[in-house]
Amino acid sequence: PADVRELLTSRIHDVPDYPKPGVLFKDITPLLADAKAFAVLTDVLADLAEQHGATKIVGLEARGFILGAPAAVRAGVGFVPVRKSGKLPGATLSQTYDLEYGSAQIEVHSAGFTEGDRVLVIDDVLATGGTAEASVQLIRRTGAEVAGVAILLELGFLEGRKRLERALAGAPLDVLVTV
Ligand code: PRP
Ligand code: MG
């Protein structure tokens, strides 16, 4: 709803020229520091998990951890981290994806999901869509089903949505705020 969107939007601050000149960084730390706004965000994400019948929440390192973990507790489902390479001790599956310069790799524990799990992926920002797309591919390769992706903030001008929707192939994408 509009009032929720307004509250969340007002707590995401613009930081010009970060991390480099010409880039307008969207800083979510004021939202996290505001108990009311963080609780509202957590409730919205937990509701989406319930609506989509999720049995697990995946958070994408690092900022997706901050949003995903409390939502998992609130929704009463387990939390599974998708991490940047080399951080998980158990048997993992990994997925490589392209960045503007070079490539990145994310990993998940294969044992993180059990038969029949439906996974809601949570992250803070949808930019080029590369990170979220790779996470969808990674989760499916474990045999789990992707129940959807939920994102706090979409940078619409980067057109990551197209790429992510193609990967989702009909699974829902929920975005709370678009700029
Ligand atoms: C940022 C952001 C998203 C991703 C979006 O993560 O938190 O995860 O980029 O970009 P994309 O749509 O182009 O893939 P980043 O890895 O920069 O930092 P973090 O570890 O602080 O989350
Ligand atoms: Mg991130």
Side-chain angles (χ1 to χ4, degrees), residues 87-144:
K87 303 279 190 177
L88 290 169
T92 57
L93 285 178
S94 29
Q95 187 81 32
T96 303
Y97 61 102
D98 291 332
L99 297 178
E100 195 178 353
Y101 301 100
S103 67
Q105 201 176 45
I106 52 174
E107 295 185 334
V108 72
H109 272 150
S110 346
F113 307 111
T114 51
E115 190 67 37
D117 258 340
R118 290 176 49 80
V119 180
L120 178 68
V121 177
I122 293 182
D123 205 0
D124 63 330
V125 170
L126 179 65
T128 68
T131 308
E133 178 190 41
S135 75
V136 166
Q137 293 164 339
L138 178 64
I139 290 161
R140 288 195 179 134
R141 283 174 46 222
T142 70

Short mmCIF file of all heavy atoms in Angstrom, two decimals, residues 87-144:
data_model
loop_
_atom_site.label_atom_id
_atom_site.label_comp_id
_atom_site.label_asym_id
_atom_site.label_seq_id
_atom_site.Cartn_x
_atom_site.Cartn_y
_atom_site.Cartn_z
N LYS A 87 32.88 -19.16 1.35
CA LYS A 87 32.51 -18.86 2.74
C LYS A 87 31.73 -19.98 3.41
O LYS A 87 31.52 -19.92 4.62
CB LYS A 87 31.63 -17.59 2.78
CG LYS A 87 32.26 -16.37 2.15
CD LYS A 87 33.22 -15.72 3.11
CE LYS A 87 33.67 -14.36 2.58
NZ LYS A 87 34.55 -13.69 3.53
N LEU A 88 31.27 -20.94 2.62
CA LEU A 88 30.42 -21.99 3.19
C LEU A 88 31.23 -23.27 3.38
O LEU A 88 31.92 -23.71 2.46
CB LEU A 88 29.21 -22.24 2.29
CG LEU A 88 28.17 -21.12 2.25
CD1 LEU A 88 27.17 -21.35 1.12
CD2 LEU A 88 27.45 -20.99 3.59
N PRO A 89 31.14 -23.90 4.56
CA PRO A 89 32.01 -25.03 4.87
C PRO A 89 31.55 -26.37 4.28
O PRO A 89 32.37 -27.27 4.09
CB PRO A 89 31.94 -25.10 6.40
CG PRO A 89 30.60 -24.55 6.73
CD PRO A 89 30.34 -23.47 5.72
N GLY A 90 30.27 -26.51 3.99
CA GLY A 90 29.76 -27.81 3.54
C GLY A 90 29.81 -27.98 2.03
O GLY A 90 30.40 -27.16 1.33
N ALA A 91 29.18 -29.06 1.55
CA ALA A 91 29.10 -29.27 0.10
C ALA A 91 28.22 -28.19 -0.51
O ALA A 91 27.11 -27.93 -0.04
CB ALA A 91 28.51 -30.65 -0.17
N THR A 92 28.73 -27.51 -1.53
CA THR A 92 28.01 -26.39 -2.12
C THR A 92 27.77 -26.60 -3.61
O THR A 92 28.47 -27.36 -4.27
CB THR A 92 28.81 -25.07 -2.00
OG1 THR A 92 30.08 -25.26 -2.61
CG2 THR A 92 28.99 -24.66 -0.55
N LEU A 93 26.79 -25.89 -4.13
CA LEU A 93 26.66 -25.66 -5.56
C LEU A 93 27.02 -24.21 -5.79
O LEU A 93 26.73 -23.35 -4.95
CB LEU A 93 25.22 -25.91 -6.01
CG LEU A 93 24.77 -27.36 -6.11
CD1 LEU A 93 23.30 -27.42 -6.53
CD2 LEU A 93 25.61 -28.13 -7.11
N SER A 94 27.65 -23.91 -6.93
CA SER A 94 27.97 -22.51 -7.22
C SER A 94 27.45 -22.09 -8.58
O SER A 94 27.21 -22.92 -9.46
CB SER A 94 29.46 -22.22 -7.10
OG SER A 94 30.22 -23.34 -7.40
N GLN A 95 27.29 -20.79 -8.71
CA GLN A 95 26.77 -20.20 -9.94
C GLN A 95 27.61 -18.97 -10.24
O GLN A 95 27.80 -18.11 -9.38
CB GLN A 95 25.30 -19.80 -9.72
CG GLN A 95 24.59 -19.33 -10.96
CD GLN A 95 24.11 -20.47 -11.83
OE1 GLN A 95 23.76 -21.55 -11.33
NE2 GLN A 95 24.12 -20.25 -13.13
N THR A 96 28.11 -18.90 -11.46
CA THR A 96 28.91 -17.75 -11.89
C THR A 96 28.04 -16.83 -12.73
O THR A 96 27.18 -17.30 -13.47
CB THR A 96 30.12 -18.24 -12.72
OG1 THR A 96 30.85 -19.17 -11.92
CG2 THR A 96 31.04 -17.10 -13.10
N TYR A 97 28.25 -15.53 -12.58
CA TYR A 97 27.50 -14.58 -13.42
C TYR A 97 28.37 -13.40 -13.76
O TYR A 97 29.37 -13.13 -13.09
CB TYR A 97 26.19 -14.16 -12.75
CG TYR A 97 26.33 -13.46 -11.41
CD1 TYR A 97 26.20 -12.09 -11.31
CD2 TYR A 97 26.57 -14.20 -10.25
CE1 TYR A 97 26.32 -11.44 -10.08
CE2 TYR A 97 26.69 -13.56 -9.02
CZ TYR A 97 26.56 -12.19 -8.95
OH TYR A 97 26.68 -11.57 -7.73
N ASP A 98 27.98 -12.70 -14.83
CA ASP A 98 28.80 -11.60 -15.35
C ASP A 98 28.53 -10.29 -14.61
O ASP A 98 27.40 -9.98 -14.27
CB ASP A 98 28.50 -11.38 -16.84
CG ASP A 98 29.01 -12.55 -17.66
OD1 ASP A 98 30.00 -13.20 -17.24
OD2 ASP A 98 28.41 -12.84 -18.72
N LEU A 99 29.59 -9.57 -14.36
CA LEU A 99 29.48 -8.21 -13.83
C LEU A 99 29.90 -7.25 -14.94
O LEU A 99 30.34 -7.67 -16.00
CB LEU A 99 30.43 -8.03 -12.64
CG LEU A 99 30.16 -8.88 -11.41
CD1 LEU A 99 31.23 -8.61 -10.36
CD2 LEU A 99 28.79 -8.59 -10.84
N GLU A 100 29.79 -5.96 -14.65
CA GLU A 100 30.22 -4.94 -15.61
C GLU A 100 31.67 -5.21 -16.02
O GLU A 100 32.02 -5.19 -17.20
CB GLU A 100 30.08 -3.56 -14.97
CG GLU A 100 30.13 -2.42 -15.96
CD GLU A 100 29.93 -1.07 -15.28
OE1 GLU A 100 29.63 -1.05 -14.07
OE2 GLU A 100 30.11 -0.06 -15.98
N TYR A 101 32.52 -5.45 -15.03
CA TYR A 101 33.89 -5.86 -15.31
C TYR A 101 34.12 -7.20 -14.62
O TYR A 101 34.07 -7.28 -13.40
CB TYR A 101 34.89 -4.83 -14.77
CG TYR A 101 34.68 -3.46 -15.35
CD1 TYR A 101 34.01 -2.47 -14.65
CD2 TYR A 101 35.12 -3.16 -16.64
CE1 TYR A 101 33.79 -1.22 -15.19
CE2 TYR A 101 34.92 -1.92 -17.20
CZ TYR A 101 34.25 -0.94 -16.47
OH TYR A 101 34.04 0.29 -17.01
N GLY A 102 34.35 -8.24 -15.39
CA GLY A 102 34.67 -9.54 -14.81
C GLY A 102 33.43 -10.35 -14.45
O GLY A 102 32.37 -10.17 -15.04
N SER A 103 33.57 -11.21 -13.45
CA SER A 103 32.46 -12.07 -13.08
C SER A 103 32.46 -12.30 -11.56
O SER A 103 33.43 -11.99 -10.88
CB SER A 103 32.55 -13.40 -13.82
OG SER A 103 33.68 -14.12 -13.38
N ALA A 104 31.34 -12.82 -11.08
CA ALA A 104 31.19 -13.10 -9.65
C ALA A 104 30.65 -14.50 -9.49
O ALA A 104 30.10 -15.07 -10.43
CB ALA A 104 30.24 -12.09 -9.02
N GLN A 105 30.81 -15.04 -8.30
CA GLN A 105 30.32 -16.39 -8.04
C GLN A 105 29.60 -16.42 -6.69
O GLN A 105 30.09 -15.84 -5.72
CB GLN A 105 31.49 -17.36 -8.03
CG GLN A 105 31.07 -18.80 -8.26
CD GLN A 105 32.27 -19.72 -8.33
OE1 GLN A 105 33.18 -19.63 -7.52
NE2 GLN A 105 32.26 -20.62 -9.29
N ILE A 106 28.45 -17.06 -6.68
CA ILE A 106 27.72 -17.24 -5.43
C ILE A 106 27.55 -18.72 -5.15
O ILE A 106 27.60 -19.54 -6.09
CB ILE A 106 26.33 -16.55 -5.46
CG1 ILE A 106 25.53 -16.98 -6.70
CG2 ILE A 106 26.48 -15.04 -5.39
CD1 ILE A 106 24.11 -16.43 -6.71
N GLU A 107 27.34 -19.06 -3.90
CA GLU A 107 27.25 -20.47 -3.50
C GLU A 107 26.14 -20.68 -2.47
O GLU A 107 25.78 -19.76 -1.74
CB GLU A 107 28.57 -20.93 -2.88
CG GLU A 107 29.73 -20.92 -3.86
CD GLU A 107 31.02 -21.48 -3.28
OE1 GLU A 107 31.21 -21.44 -2.04
OE2 GLU A 107 31.84 -21.95 -4.07
N VAL A 108 25.67 -21.92 -2.43
CA VAL A 108 24.70 -22.30 -1.41
C VAL A 108 25.01 -23.73 -0.96
O VAL A 108 25.53 -24.52 -1.75
CB VAL A 108 23.25 -22.18 -1.96
CG1 VAL A 108 22.93 -23.28 -2.97
CG2 VAL A 108 22.22 -22.16 -0.84
N HIS A 109 24.70 -24.05 0.27
CA HIS A 109 24.82 -25.43 0.73
C HIS A 109 23.77 -26.29 0.03
O HIS A 109 22.59 -25.96 0.09
CB HIS A 109 24.58 -25.51 2.25
CG HIS A 109 25.80 -25.30 3.07
ND1 HIS A 109 25.76 -24.73 4.32
CD2 HIS A 109 27.12 -25.57 2.82
CE1 HIS A 109 26.99 -24.69 4.81
NE2 HIS A 109 27.83 -25.17 3.92
N SER A 110 24.21 -27.39 -0.57
CA SER A 110 23.23 -28.28 -1.21
C SER A 110 22.26 -28.84 -0.18
O SER A 110 21.11 -29.12 -0.49
CB SER A 110 23.92 -29.44 -1.93
OG SER A 110 25.28 -29.23 -2.09
N ALA A 111 22.73 -29.00 1.06
CA ALA A 111 21.88 -29.56 2.11
C ALA A 111 20.96 -28.50 2.76
O ALA A 111 20.24 -28.79 3.71
CB ALA A 111 22.73 -30.22 3.18
N GLY A 112 21.00 -27.27 2.23
CA GLY A 112 20.18 -26.20 2.80
C GLY A 112 18.69 -26.40 2.58
O GLY A 112 17.86 -25.87 3.32
N PHE A 113 18.36 -27.18 1.55
CA PHE A 113 16.95 -27.39 1.21
C PHE A 113 16.61 -28.86 1.33
O PHE A 113 17.45 -29.72 1.15
CB PHE A 113 16.68 -26.92 -0.22
CG PHE A 113 17.13 -25.52 -0.49
CD1 PHE A 113 18.20 -25.27 -1.33
CD2 PHE A 113 16.51 -24.45 0.13
CE1 PHE A 113 18.63 -23.98 -1.57
CE2 PHE A 113 16.94 -23.14 -0.10
CZ PHE A 113 18.01 -22.91 -0.95
N THR A 114 15.35 -29.11 1.66
CA THR A 114 14.89 -30.49 1.69
C THR A 114 13.81 -30.67 0.62
O THR A 114 13.25 -29.68 0.10
CB THR A 114 14.32 -30.86 3.08
OG1 THR A 114 13.37 -29.86 3.45
CG2 THR A 114 15.43 -30.90 4.11
N GLU A 115 13.56 -31.91 0.28
CA GLU A 115 12.55 -32.30 -0.71
C GLU A 115 11.28 -31.44 -0.60
O GLU A 115 10.70 -31.33 0.48
CB GLU A 115 12.22 -33.77 -0.46
CG GLU A 115 11.38 -34.46 -1.52
CD GLU A 115 12.13 -34.61 -2.84
OE1 GLU A 115 13.34 -34.85 -2.82
OE2 GLU A 115 11.46 -34.47 -3.89
N GLY A 116 10.88 -30.84 -1.69
CA GLY A 116 9.62 -30.10 -1.70
C GLY A 116 9.72 -28.66 -1.22
O GLY A 116 8.70 -27.97 -1.15
N ASP A 117 10.91 -28.20 -0.87
CA ASP A 117 11.04 -26.82 -0.40
C ASP A 117 10.66 -25.82 -1.49
O ASP A 117 11.00 -25.99 -2.65
CB ASP A 117 12.49 -26.53 0.05
CG ASP A 117 12.65 -26.56 1.56
OD1 ASP A 117 11.63 -26.43 2.27
OD2 ASP A 117 13.79 -26.72 2.02
N ARG A 118 9.96 -24.77 -1.06
CA ARG A 118 9.62 -23.62 -1.91
C ARG A 118 10.32 -22.40 -1.33
O ARG A 118 10.13 -22.07 -0.16
CB ARG A 118 8.10 -23.39 -1.93
CG ARG A 118 7.33 -24.48 -2.68
CD ARG A 118 5.82 -24.24 -2.57
NE ARG A 118 5.44 -22.86 -2.88
CZ ARG A 118 5.31 -22.39 -4.12
NH1 ARG A 118 5.53 -23.15 -5.16
NH2 ARG A 118 4.94 -21.14 -4.31
N VAL A 119 11.11 -21.74 -2.16
CA VAL A 119 12.06 -20.75 -1.66
C VAL A 119 11.69 -19.34 -2.11
O VAL A 119 11.51 -19.10 -3.31
CB VAL A 119 13.48 -21.08 -2.18
CG1 VAL A 119 14.48 -20.06 -1.68
CG2 VAL A 119 13.87 -22.49 -1.75
N LEU A 120 11.58 -18.42 -1.16
CA LEU A 120 11.46 -17.00 -1.49
C LEU A 120 12.84 -16.36 -1.35
O LEU A 120 13.46 -16.42 -0.28
CB LEU A 120 10.47 -16.29 -0.57
CG LEU A 120 10.33 -14.78 -0.84
CD1 LEU A 120 9.67 -14.51 -2.19
CD2 LEU A 120 9.54 -14.09 0.28
N VAL A 121 13.32 -15.75 -2.42
CA VAL A 121 14.62 -15.06 -2.42
C VAL A 121 14.40 -13.60 -2.06
O VAL A 121 13.53 -12.94 -2.63
CB VAL A 121 15.27 -15.14 -3.83
CG1 VAL A 121 16.58 -14.35 -3.86
CG2 VAL A 121 15.49 -16.59 -4.23
N ILE A 122 15.20 -13.11 -1.11
CA ILE A 122 15.07 -11.72 -0.68
C ILE A 122 16.40 -10.99 -0.85
O ILE A 122 17.46 -11.49 -0.48
CB ILE A 122 14.60 -11.65 0.80
CG1 ILE A 122 13.15 -12.17 0.89
CG2 ILE A 122 14.70 -10.22 1.34
CD1 ILE A 122 12.55 -12.11 2.28
N ASP A 123 16.32 -9.78 -1.43
CA ASP A 123 17.49 -8.92 -1.52
C ASP A 123 17.04 -7.46 -1.41
O ASP A 123 15.85 -7.17 -1.50
CB ASP A 123 18.26 -9.16 -2.81
CG ASP A 123 19.75 -8.79 -2.69
OD1 ASP A 123 20.18 -8.34 -1.61
OD2 ASP A 123 20.48 -8.95 -3.69
N ASP A 124 18.03 -6.57 -1.21
CA ASP A 124 17.67 -5.16 -1.02
C ASP A 124 17.43 -4.44 -2.34
O ASP A 124 16.48 -3.67 -2.45
CB ASP A 124 18.74 -4.42 -0.19
CG ASP A 124 20.10 -4.38 -0.87
OD1 ASP A 124 20.42 -5.31 -1.64
OD2 ASP A 124 20.84 -3.40 -0.64
N VAL A 125 18.32 -4.68 -3.32
CA VAL A 125 18.28 -3.88 -4.54
C VAL A 125 18.29 -4.77 -5.78
O VAL A 125 19.04 -5.74 -5.85
CB VAL A 125 19.48 -2.90 -4.59
CG1 VAL A 125 19.60 -2.23 -5.96
CG2 VAL A 125 19.37 -1.83 -3.50
N LEU A 126 17.45 -4.41 -6.76
CA LEU A 126 17.51 -5.00 -8.09
C LEU A 126 18.12 -3.94 -9.01
O LEU A 126 17.51 -2.91 -9.26
CB LEU A 126 16.10 -5.37 -8.57
CG LEU A 126 16.00 -5.99 -9.97
CD1 LEU A 126 16.68 -7.33 -10.03
CD2 LEU A 126 14.53 -6.12 -10.38
N ALA A 127 19.34 -4.21 -9.48
CA ALA A 127 20.01 -3.26 -10.38
C ALA A 127 20.05 -3.88 -11.78
O ALA A 127 19.06 -3.81 -12.50
CB ALA A 127 21.39 -2.92 -9.83
N THR A 128 21.14 -4.53 -12.15
CA THR A 128 21.18 -5.20 -13.47
C THR A 128 20.41 -6.52 -13.45
O THR A 128 20.15 -7.09 -14.50
CB THR A 128 22.62 -5.52 -13.90
OG1 THR A 128 23.16 -6.54 -13.03
CG2 THR A 128 23.51 -4.28 -13.83
N GLY A 129 20.11 -7.02 -12.25
CA GLY A 129 19.39 -8.28 -12.13
C GLY A 129 20.30 -9.50 -12.11
O GLY A 129 19.82 -10.62 -11.91
N GLY A 130 21.59 -9.29 -12.28
CA GLY A 130 22.52 -10.41 -12.37
C GLY A 130 22.56 -11.28 -11.11
O GLY A 130 22.55 -12.51 -11.20
N THR A 131 22.58 -10.63 -9.96
CA THR A 131 22.69 -11.36 -8.69
C THR A 131 21.43 -12.20 -8.45
O THR A 131 21.52 -13.40 -8.13
CB THR A 131 22.88 -10.38 -7.52
OG1 THR A 131 23.97 -9.51 -7.83
CG2 THR A 131 23.15 -11.11 -6.22
N ALA A 132 20.27 -11.57 -8.61
CA ALA A 132 19.01 -12.28 -8.36
C ALA A 132 18.81 -13.40 -9.37
O ALA A 132 18.37 -14.51 -9.01
CB ALA A 132 17.84 -11.30 -8.41
N GLU A 133 19.13 -13.13 -10.64
CA GLU A 133 19.00 -14.16 -11.67
C GLU A 133 19.86 -15.38 -11.33
O GLU A 133 19.39 -16.53 -11.39
CB GLU A 133 19.41 -13.61 -13.03
CG GLU A 133 19.35 -14.63 -14.15
CD GLU A 133 19.99 -14.13 -15.44
OE1 GLU A 133 21.06 -13.49 -15.38
OE2 GLU A 133 19.43 -14.40 -16.51
N ALA A 134 21.11 -15.12 -10.95
CA ALA A 134 22.02 -16.23 -10.63
C ALA A 134 21.50 -17.02 -9.43
O ALA A 134 21.62 -18.24 -9.38
CB ALA A 134 23.42 -15.68 -10.35
N SER A 135 20.90 -16.33 -8.47
CA SER A 135 20.39 -17.03 -7.28
C SER A 135 19.22 -17.94 -7.65
O SER A 135 19.09 -19.04 -7.10
CB SER A 135 19.99 -16.03 -6.19
OG SER A 135 18.78 -15.39 -6.51
N VAL A 136 18.37 -17.49 -8.56
CA VAL A 136 17.25 -18.31 -9.01
C VAL A 136 17.77 -19.58 -9.69
O VAL A 136 17.31 -20.69 -9.42
CB VAL A 136 16.34 -17.50 -9.98
CG1 VAL A 136 15.36 -18.40 -10.72
CG2 VAL A 136 15.59 -16.42 -9.21
N GLN A 137 18.76 -19.40 -10.56
CA GLN A 137 19.34 -20.56 -11.26
C GLN A 137 19.99 -21.51 -10.27
O GLN A 137 19.83 -22.73 -10.35
CB GLN A 137 20.36 -20.07 -12.30
CG GLN A 137 19.69 -19.29 -13.44
CD GLN A 137 20.66 -18.46 -14.27
OE1 GLN A 137 21.76 -18.13 -13.82
NE2 GLN A 137 20.26 -18.11 -15.48
N LEU A 138 20.72 -20.94 -9.31
CA LEU A 138 21.42 -21.74 -8.30
C LEU A 138 20.44 -22.57 -7.46
O LEU A 138 20.63 -23.76 -7.25
CB LEU A 138 22.24 -20.80 -7.40
CG LEU A 138 23.01 -21.44 -6.25
CD1 LEU A 138 24.07 -22.39 -6.78
CD2 LEU A 138 23.66 -20.34 -5.39
N ILE A 139 19.39 -21.92 -7.00
CA ILE A 139 18.40 -22.60 -6.13
C ILE A 139 17.72 -23.73 -6.89
O ILE A 139 17.54 -24.83 -6.38
CB ILE A 139 17.38 -21.59 -5.58
CG1 ILE A 139 18.07 -20.67 -4.58
CG2 ILE A 139 16.19 -22.29 -4.94
CD1 ILE A 139 17.34 -19.37 -4.32
N ARG A 140 17.38 -23.46 -8.14
CA ARG A 140 16.72 -24.52 -8.94
C ARG A 140 17.64 -25.71 -9.14
O ARG A 140 17.17 -26.85 -9.16
CB ARG A 140 16.25 -23.95 -10.27
CG ARG A 140 15.06 -23.02 -10.09
CD ARG A 140 14.39 -22.75 -11.41
NE ARG A 140 13.23 -21.88 -11.24
CZ ARG A 140 12.97 -20.83 -12.00
NH1 ARG A 140 13.78 -20.51 -13.00
NH2 ARG A 140 11.89 -20.09 -11.78
N ARG A 141 18.93 -25.45 -9.28
CA ARG A 141 19.86 -26.56 -9.48
C ARG A 141 19.96 -27.47 -8.26
O ARG A 141 20.38 -28.62 -8.36
CB ARG A 141 21.24 -26.03 -9.89
CG ARG A 141 21.26 -25.59 -11.37
CD ARG A 141 22.58 -24.93 -11.75
NE ARG A 141 23.71 -25.68 -11.26
CZ ARG A 141 24.80 -25.14 -10.70
NH1 ARG A 141 24.92 -23.85 -10.57
NH2 ARG A 141 25.76 -25.91 -10.29
N THR A 142 19.60 -26.97 -7.09
CA THR A 142 19.60 -27.83 -5.90
C THR A 142 18.38 -28.75 -5.89
O THR A 142 18.28 -29.66 -5.07
CB THR A 142 19.55 -27.02 -4.58
OG1 THR A 142 18.25 -26.42 -4.47
CG2 THR A 142 20.63 -25.95 -4.52
N GLY A 143 17.41 -28.49 -6.76
CA GLY A 143 16.19 -29.28 -6.79
C GLY A 143 15.03 -28.59 -6.09
O GLY A 143 13.89 -29.05 -6.16
N ALA A 144 15.32 -27.47 -5.41
CA ALA A 144 14.24 -26.74 -4.74
C ALA A 144 13.48 -25.88 -5.76
O ALA A 144 13.99 -25.57 -6.83
CB ALA A 144 14.81 -25.84 -3.64
#
